[in-house]
Amino acid sequence: MGNKIRWGILGTGRIARAFAEGLKHTINGELIAIASRTFESAQSFANEWEIPHAFGSYEELAGSELLDAVYIATPHTEHLKNAVLCMEKRKAVLCEKPLAINAYQVSEMIQKAKEHDVLLMEGMWSRFPPLMHEVRRLIQENEIGEIRTIHADFGFRPEHKDPEGRLFNPNLGGGSLLDVGIYPLSFSSMLNGKPKSFVTDWTRGETGVDEQASIILKYPNGSMAILHSSIQSDTNQEAFISGTEGTIKIHKQCWRPQKITISTRKNSKNKVIELPFSGNGFNYEAEHFSQLLIDGKKESDIMSLNESLEIITLLDEIRGSWGFSYPFE
Ligand SMILES: NC(=O)c1ccc[n+]([C@@H]2O[C@H](COP(=O)([O-])OP(=O)(O)OC[C@H]3O[C@@H](n4cnc5c(N)ncnc54)[C@H](OP(=O)(O)O)[C@@H]3O)[C@@H](O)[C@H]2O)c1
């Protein structure tokens, strides 16, 4: 493996563009290929982003000897199939969140990564900006004492409600929980681990998917997390960690953290830390992943496969308690 990872992207949608931009701001990766289900779309994306190789099928990109790593930027329902296609060709895979639709699919994906001995990671990009490293350091160093409560939410109202698009279409794994609810749930998991119980309720939309979800998690030590997701309305998009000795607020938008306020019992004045992104933020997860690959690692210590599995298992249990499953499940 060289010291610059050669990347390809599967899919030419919205997030593929954000990742292409992010890669431009990394020192250890370069984007050299794009694949679409149609050659025209791949070629137009390649022209826009000045990418040397365009493929008119995912299979061609997966099989290309030019590449080391593939970023999967397709709807949730396609992740398993697309990731397996690439891993079978010994490509490292960074797959958008959620890693797959349910725990069954995620387990299968992890098993394939182990079978083919390749690096696999869920693209939970919020974990990698410098400020999230700072939040983890503050918690580890006991700056706010023991965590007792987390409040976090991610809600937005899309401009157009397209019943066929991936956000509202049950056949594409639509709904707020898997699209945005996974951010506060992953955040809480990062800080608190696995909950022992939860209560939840949801709002079912016209297409049958969850347009709102509220969840209260309870952890073995009595700590709690109050989380919310919505694709019906804009919410605060903030996170608030309350400990026995102080609090940390991650300002809007907490899923792309750039500003926190720390308030502690021992200091009378609040401390504000601002760490604006260099690049668009996707560069941090891309750089982390490229470095893992350069170092010969098969898993990330910041977003481990076991944790991805734990999180999707919880999402399954939450959906199960509502009596909501996807048509293909
Ligand atoms: N990290 C983040 O902040 C973030 C933000 C948004 C989305 N995401 C994640 O990224 C993934 C993609 O989201 P997106 O918003 O980029 O979606 P999108 O704009 O709809 O694009 C998805 C792309 O996937 C490809 N595709 C393959 N099979 C498809 C199918 N059956 N139906 C529709 N498209 C299909 C298409 O590319 P071709 O036609 O070129 O093959 C399409 O352009 C989702 O899993 C989502 O959770 C992450």
Side-chain angles (χ1 to χ4, degrees):
M1 197 64 62
N3 57 4
K4 209 156 196 189
I5 296 304
R6 300 165 304 167
W7 282 88
I9 299 180
L10 280 199
T12 54
R14 197 174 75 83
I15 210 62
R17 293 192 143 63
F19 193 76
E21 174 61 28
L23 265 180
K24 285 207 254 169
H25 302 270
T26 66
I27 52 163
N28 55 3
E30 57 183 334
L31 179 55
I32 65 152
I34 178 75
S36 170
R37 291 166 301 168
T38 61
F39 181 70
E40 293 69 29
S41 178
Q43 190 58 64
S44 128
F45 194 98
N47 293 343
E48 184 185 343
W49 293 93
E50 298 176 353
I51 305 169
H53 304 281
F55 296 105
S57 77
Y58 296 167
E59 287 77 9
E60 283 174 84
L61 184 142
S64 166
E65 292 301 324
L66 300 165
L67 300 173
D68 306 308
V70 180
Y71 171 69
I72 311 270
T74 55
H76 322 332
T77 42
E78 308 304 304
H79 290 177
L80 172 63
K81 187 173 66 185
N82 299 158
V84 169
L85 177 72
C86 296
M87 291 191 292
E88 281 176 342
K89 299 290 182 186
R90 303 295 312 274
K91 302 294 183 297
V93 167
L94 172 61
C95 180
E96 257 309 330
K97 38 60 56 176
L99 204 47
I101 283 287
N102 54 33
Y104 178 78
Q105 290 193 358
V106 168
S107 302
E108 201 168 322
M109 207 191 270
I110 293 173
Q111 198 206 315
K112 286 283 180 192
K114 297 208 186 309
E115 190 182 318
H116 295 287
D117 197 28
V118 293
L119 170 63
L120 170 68
M121 188 181 92
E122 180 179 15
M124 181 43 73
W125 71 300
S126 305
R127 290 201 176 193
F128 302 97
L131 202 56
M132 207 50 109
H133 292 284
E134 181 63 11
V135 168
R136 286 192 292 267
R137 186 191 68 76
L138 289 165
I139 299 296
Q140 271 155 20
E141 294 182 2
N142 230 16
E143 196 63 21
I144 61 162
E146 187 180 87
I147 298 174
R148 302 313 297 160
T149 317
I150 290 174
H151 287 87
D153 67 281
F154 191 161
F156 74 104
R157 184 171 176 81
E159 291 284 305
H160 307 289
K161 188 170 176 176
D162 175 8
E164 298 302 321
R166 67 163 192 86
L167 211 48
F168 293 94
N169 186 345
N171 294 311
L172 291 178
S176 78
L177 186 67
L178 265 61
D179 192 57
V180 285
I182 192 165
Y183 285 91
L185 278 146
S186 182
F187 178 70
S188 192
S189 165
M190 179 182 82
L191 297 177
N192 272 335
K194 194 174 167 181
K196 73 165 188 167
S197 60
F198 66 84
V199 290
T200 177
D201 207 347
W202 67 311
T203 304
R204 184 189 172 99
E206 288 149 21
T207 60
V209 303
D210 61 293
E211 293 191 2
Q212 300 216 83
S214 289
I215 304 125
I216 301 175
L217 304 176
K218 189 168 178 188
Y219 291 89
N221 67 355
S223 174
M224 299 182 100
I226 297 119
L227 313 173
H228 182 72
S229 63
S230 176
I231 49 174
Q232 286 189 337
S233 62
D234 298 320
T235 65
N236 270 343
Q237 302 185 8
E238 289 178 342
F240 202 82
I241 312 165
S242 311
T244 47
E245 304 302 324
T247 60
I248 300 172
K249 173 175 169 169
I250 308 182
H251 292 254
K252 188 170 184 166
Q253 292 141 324
C254 56
W255 45 275
R256 51 197 308 276
Q258 294 172 84
K259 181 178 176 185
I260 58 174
T261 299
I262 308 150
S263 157
T264 58
R265 285 167 174 259
K266 62 180 185 221
N267 296 323
S268 53
K269 267 185 93 178
N270 289 351
K271 185 175 170 191
V272 176
I273 304 177
E274 289 192 68
L275 292 175
F277 286 169
S278 65
N280 68 349
F282 282 87
N283 41 309
Y284 300 115
E285 78 168 354
E287 212 157 82
H288 173 76
F289 190 91
S290 292
Q291 200 53 49
L292 290 173
L293 198 46
I294 289 165
D295 295 343
K297 304 238 168 85
K298 297 292 166 345
E299 204 173 327
S300 164
D301 52 343
I302 296 178
M303 186 71 257
S304 75
L305 293 173
N306 187 48
E307 195 186 350
S308 289
L309 182 58
E310 263 179 27
I311 293 168
I312 198 74
T313 302
L314 178 60
L315 265 57
D316 282 0
E317 287 167 5
I318 291 168
R319 288 197 294 119
S321 78
W322 303 336
F324 170 44
S325 59
Y326 290 105
F328 46 83
E329 285 184 301

